[in-house]
Every structure is written in structure tokens, then in C-alpha cells.
Amino acid sequence: MSETPVDPEEVRHVASLARVDLDDEAADAFAEQFADILEYFETLDEVPEVDAEPELVNVMREDEVREGLSQDEALRNAAETEDGYFKGPNVS
Amino acid sequence: MSDYNAYVTTERIEGADEGPLAGRTVAVKDNISTEGVRTTCGSKMLEDYVPPYDATAVRRLKDAGATIVGKTNMDEFGMGTTTETSAFGPTDNPAAEGHVPGGSSGGSAAAVAAGDADLALGTDTGGSVRCPAAFTGTVGIKPTYGLVSRYGLIAYANSLEQIGPIAPTVADAAELLDVIAGPDERDATTRDEGADSDYASAADGDVDGLEIGIPTELVDGAHEGVVETFWDAIADLEDRGASYHQVSLPSVEHAVEAYYVIAMSEASSNLARFDGVRYGHSGGFDGNWNEAFGAARDEGFGDEVKRRILLGTYALSAGYHDKYYKKAQDARAWVKQDFDEALSEADVLASPTMPVPPMKRGESLDDPLTMYLADANTVPINLANLPAISVPAGETDGLPVGLQLVGPAFGEETIIRAGSALA
């Protein structure tokens, strides 16, 4: 068994963090599936620590002004706009 | 167009008059941005989204003279192995009707297999080019990470994914790869290796002296008919002068869980942008922004996408980060080490692309974990950032079987040469 069983309440908590509404039926179904999946993920405990040499380097360039999207293009896919701005729901 | 539901949108986009792909038709997966042509990611969330710019890969297709014939169906946001999680319905398999075409680039593979397009672009995060190629009897290449620009690819898991070609033959796939490969100032993870490439001329079928390593973990436990077809193909390569040895890669036993933890974690972050304000399905304006975003994302995303966003959010949340995400990164480093070692004693590594033949449609939707395990042979390659090709190896009970060949980083010529001996 998983050391961290997931119940529907916890699924709803994570869903609220991720801003995804879930009805009770979905939360129940996910809780059941997550138990299996997370139990499987637990086997990562057996993985040894590995000395990996990261090959990553930062790729820098000069910060220069270039052409970008026009305001019209940038707003074209928005459900609602107002005076050249995106219109969103109330913040609080 | 044939009736396999391979396309979300059919629309002809003409390219330049001349170029290496003049006169060729290309189908483009619907998570790759096309200026002025809607790009849905197979999701209701982006049902009406029309990108204001082209992905670099699309711009290179147009410059090369290709004619784009449509945007292909896919598992929603690339999250699936069967092309059944699309909001636009499932795609059928032209090479095995009634069976899934594989995923997530199932529409691209089906378009090529049905002859609706000469070539196609897919994307491969954990096997999404190679799996549908294997299931439809076509060729698919997952390039080395950094060979092909991801600019304009709508992100699912940035550290794992690459755009790659699907085609009827290895030579055709290599030609398409030549067009899209190479550095791009708009994707800082691209490298110089693909500049001025000539992969097409590597497709000469010459495997004399080729040393093949066969990871036992990727063959043991596969479907009997798949294993038989795989060994027949290896025997074919031996007849042409190749030799093989078996090799053990203990790390791959943990590759699936490492892959899913990393992919889901990156997905939970990448898909946070879809709130219905700047683009995408709107949750309306009732209540505060959290309520509106929650409603938009409930209505816009399908179950598999929600599952992965939630599991990714969970894996990254306080108290679980070290247990899941950090361990997954350790596993990734281990897998990479194992592959580098095995490739120091072999030119290529070979395995069945998929451990199973194409599933019957509708068979596997209710059991996500079983579906994840079907990716066992493809995900290690993304974790290791390596190139791999899937070529048709034959059939079992009339169902296509793919052979996967893995090469060293930027060793595309080697896998193309080896693969071209079979297709």
C-alpha cells in the first residue's frame, strides 16, 4: 500500500491549487486512480543517487528591440477585450 | 481525404514555389502553431484558437516548398498513447482498422498510412511519434533533444519533447528532418549540430559491420508475437552484415515512473496558462477570477489532461517534491548514464518500439496506469535526450510491429542508415 493514500478530499485540495473545478464523482474516480498511480511512483525510492554532471550552459544574446505582435494580433484570441486590453474576471 | 478522422482541420497552405519539398504534401500535428489556421491541441480549451504566428518548423516547411494539407488529430495536449483522448473524437488505424493508431501523434501517422499526405510532422514527448509510426506501419523519428526548434510548439513537457517526422520510408523521413533540423535563435535549447544536415543521403541501407546492442529489459515481457517479429528483423539485419550482443540497462525498470512524474510536473506548470482570458475557452465572468478559471479549466480540459495536471501539482507540492520530482530527476540521470555506457559498445540499441501490438479501440481508456506502462520502451529515450527511429519490422496476426533503433546524441545518420536497411 502507498504510504500516502489519497482521499477525495485531498484530490479536491490539489484541484483547487490547480484551479480545476471537480464534481464529487470526478474527485472519487481520481482518488481511486491516483492511489494506484502514486503507489507505482513509490518505486522511485529504489533509485540510487547519481552523480550527474550537468551539461547545461546559459545561452545569452543581446537584448535588442525587434518587431513583435501588434496589439490587434495579441488581442485577437481573447474572449473579451476593452480599450485595447484583455478583459478578465474580477480579482476578488 | 479518407475517413479515419485523421484531421481536426483540413486546409491547404501553399509553400514556396521551389525547394526540396516542392510538390510534397505534409500533414502537421495540431499542437504546432500555424499562422491564421486554428491550432487546437485536440482540446476543447483551444477549439477556436488561431495562432498569430508560425512555428519555426512550419515556417521551414513553407520555405522548403511543402504544401500543408491540414492539422492532424492527437491525444489532447499530447497526453495519450492511442489518439482517443482528443476532444474531436478518436482516429482509426488505416493499417489495422478497428484498432488504435497509437498516440499521441495518431492523426499524423494515420494521414501518412492512408496516403492522404506524403509526409507528416508529429511531436514526441515520451514516444508520441514512434508509437503511432509502429502501430500504423510507418516510419517515425524522435530527434536528439535540441536538434529541432520547439518555437511555436504548444508546450506539454519542455525538457522531453521534440518535433519529428513521420513518413512511409526512412529516406522520406530523413528528407523532412533535413528541412526542420538546425539552430533557431527563437529556441535557446537548439544546437548547431543540425545545421546543413544531409540525413537523406545516410539512408543507403548499408549495415555491414554495424554493432547492435539489445537491452534485455526492453524485450523480456513484451507480447510474444511482437518479440518474434523483432528477432526476425534482427536476423534480417544480421544477414546484411550487422551483428548484435545483449546488454542490461537496470535503470529502465524505473523509467516509466520517472517519465510520468517529470512530464506531469512540467504539464501542471505549462498548462497553468490556460485561464480563458487571453485565449482559450472562457469560464465567463461570474464570481472572482479563481472561480472563473476553475470553471474554464473544468469545461475546457478532458479527464486525462486533468489527471496529469493534478498529479503534477501533487508531485510538486510542499512535502512531496523531494519524494517524487527529485527522485525522478535522479532516475533520469541514471537512465542517461546507462544508455551512454551501452552506446559506448554499440553503434545502435534495438528493441521493439511498443511492447504490444495496437490495442482495439476503446479497450484501454478506463485504466490509465496500464496505458502508461505501454510506453515502457519509448520513454527512456526522451529521458536520455537521445535520437531514435521506429521502422516497420513486420506484422503479428495482421497487426503492424515497429522496431526501435536508438543512437548516440546527434547520431541521426547512424539510426537513419541502420533503419533504411528495413524500410
Side-chain angles (χ1 to χ4, degrees):
Chain A
M1 257 318 277
S2 162
E3 297 162 31
T4 51
V6 193
D7 57 30
E9 194 47 48
E10 190 155 10
V11 169
R12 269 190 289 270
H13 171 65
V14 172
S16 77
L17 293 176
R19 305 292 185 272
V20 178
D21 287 354
L22 286 187
D23 59 29
D24 289 346
E25 200 185 325
D28 289 350
F30 280 174
E32 205 171 303
Q33 292 165 346
F34 288 6
D36 286 348
I37 295 168
L38 290 170
E39 187 182 344
Y40 182 68
F41 287 175
E42 304 268 319
T43 59
L44 284 170
D45 279 345
E46 298 158 17
V47 171
E49 260 186 59
V50 175
D51 264 337
E53 297 161 39
E55 302 164 23
L56 303 175
V57 288
N58 282 323
V59 179
M60 311 295 277
R61 63 165 172 79
E62 290 302 309
D63 188 16
E64 48 195 44
V65 177
R66 302 188 209 188
E67 235 174 271
L69 295 180
S70 67
Q71 190 177 39
D72 181 49
E73 286 169 328
L75 293 174
R76 198 170 294 160
N77 281 286
E80 283 211 44
T81 62
E82 198 173 296
D83 301 332
Y85 294 96
F86 294 113
K87 186 177 174 188
N90 291 332
V91 170
S92 59
Chain B
M1 297 285 172
S2 328
D3 192 22
Y4 296 102
N5 199 29
Y7 292 90
V8 174
T9 305
T10 52
E11 182 153 334
R12 273 183 100 79
I13 310 171
E14 299 293 343
D17 290 341
E18 285 174 40
L21 294 181
R24 313 281 282 279
T25 55
V26 184
V28 175
K29 190 178 182 180
D30 211 20
N31 59 348
I32 303 173
S33 300
T34 39
E35 183 179 348
V37 177
R38 78 169 173 158
T39 299
T40 68
C41 287
S43 180
K44 184 181 172 191
M45 178 60 81
L46 292 177
E47 195 172 9
D48 301 313
Y49 173 67
V50 179
Y53 63 94
D54 275 332
T56 295
V58 167
R59 194 164 37 80
R60 288 181 180 171
L61 281 184
K62 289 179 173 177
D63 290 347
T67 299
I68 294 169
V69 287
K71 303 300 296 291
T72 56
N73 203 6
M74 56 183 284
D75 282 299
E76 188 178 3
F77 283 98
M79 299 178 185
T81 306
T82 62
T83 313
E84 293 176 296
T85 70
S86 169
F88 302 89
T91 297
D92 201 358
N93 185 341
E97 289 184 15
H99 293 74
V100 303
S104 65
S105 313
S108 289
V112 170
D116 285 341
D118 297 327
L119 308 162
L121 289 184
T123 62
D124 191 313
T125 309
S128 285
V129 161
R130 290 161 286 157
C131 162
F135 280 3
T136 60
T138 56
V139 173
I141 299 175
K142 182 262 161 194
T144 308
Y145 188 79
L147 187 81
V148 178
S149 170
R150 289 177 294 109
Y151 179 73
L153 162 62
I154 299 176
Y156 154 28
N158 323 49
S159 82
L160 297 161
E161 60 206 1
Q162 278 286 289
I163 295 173
I166 297 174
T169 68
V170 173
D172 288 330
E175 255 186 282
L176 180 51
L177 186 58
D178 278 323
V179 167
I180 59 173
D184 176 16
E185 61 173 7
R186 293 183 145 153
D187 175 358
T189 63
T190 53
R191 302 265 294 263
D192 290 332
E193 278 84 347
D196 308 315
S197 66
D198 186 8
Y199 300 126
S201 70
D204 57 13
D206 179 9
V207 292
D208 193 25
L210 183 82
E211 184 61 32
I212 304 169
I214 298 178
T216 49
E217 290 85 356
L218 301 185
V219 183
D220 296 346
H223 176 277
E224 200 180 314
V226 169
V227 173
E228 206 174 296
T229 312
F230 167 75
W231 284 113
D232 285 349
I234 295 297
D236 190 1
L237 292 171
E238 266 192 299
D239 288 345
R240 299 167 191 226
S243 48
Y244 78 88
H245 63 270
Q246 304 210 36
V247 55
S248 177
L249 303 177
S251 66
V252 302
E253 305 283 5
H254 295 285
V256 172
E257 53 265 38
Y259 167 78
Y260 275 97
V261 167
I262 293 170
M264 288 169 173
S265 298
E266 293 186 21
S268 72
S269 170
N270 276 321
L271 272 62
R273 73 191 60 173
F274 299 107
D275 55 25
V277 173
R278 290 153 299 161
Y279 36 71
H281 181 83
S282 171
F285 296 87
D286 292 338
N288 69 33
W289 59 346
N290 287 325
E291 288 157 359
F293 294 172
R297 291 159 66 77
D298 177 31
E299 293 165 11
F301 292 141
D303 280 348
E304 184 58 31
V305 172
K306 288 178 187 166
R307 232 179 334 259
R308 296 195 192 190
I309 290 174
L310 265 50
L311 283 165
T313 304
Y314 182 83
L316 291 176
S317 62
Y320 296 109
H321 176 277
D322 284 3
K323 181 181 173 62
Y324 294 112
Y325 188 73
K326 193 167 169 295
K327 293 305 285 185
Q329 295 295 353
D330 278 340
R332 183 172 190 172
W334 187 22
V335 167
K336 195 166 162 32
Q337 238 172 40
D338 258 1
F339 271 88
D340 286 348
E341 254 175 58
L343 282 164
S344 69
E345 284 165 21
D347 298 308
V348 296
L349 304 176
S351 77
T353 307
M354 297 297 289
V356 290
M359 309 83 170
K360 287 203 176 100
R361 289 173 59 182
E363 194 175 62
S364 41
L365 272 185
D366 293 333
D367 185 359
L369 184 56
T370 302
M371 190 64 3
Y372 300 165
L373 292 171
D375 299 339
N377 288 6
T378 50
V379 296
I381 286 73
N382 300 75
L383 290 172
N385 301 331
L386 297 175
I389 189 169
S390 178
V391 294
E395 293 188 342
T396 176
D397 291 333
L399 300 171
V401 174
L403 171 87
Q404 171 174 258
L405 295 164
V406 185
F410 301 104
E412 271 76 6
E413 276 99 349
T414 310
I415 57 170
I416 284 166
R417 178 164 287 120
S420 65
L422 293 171

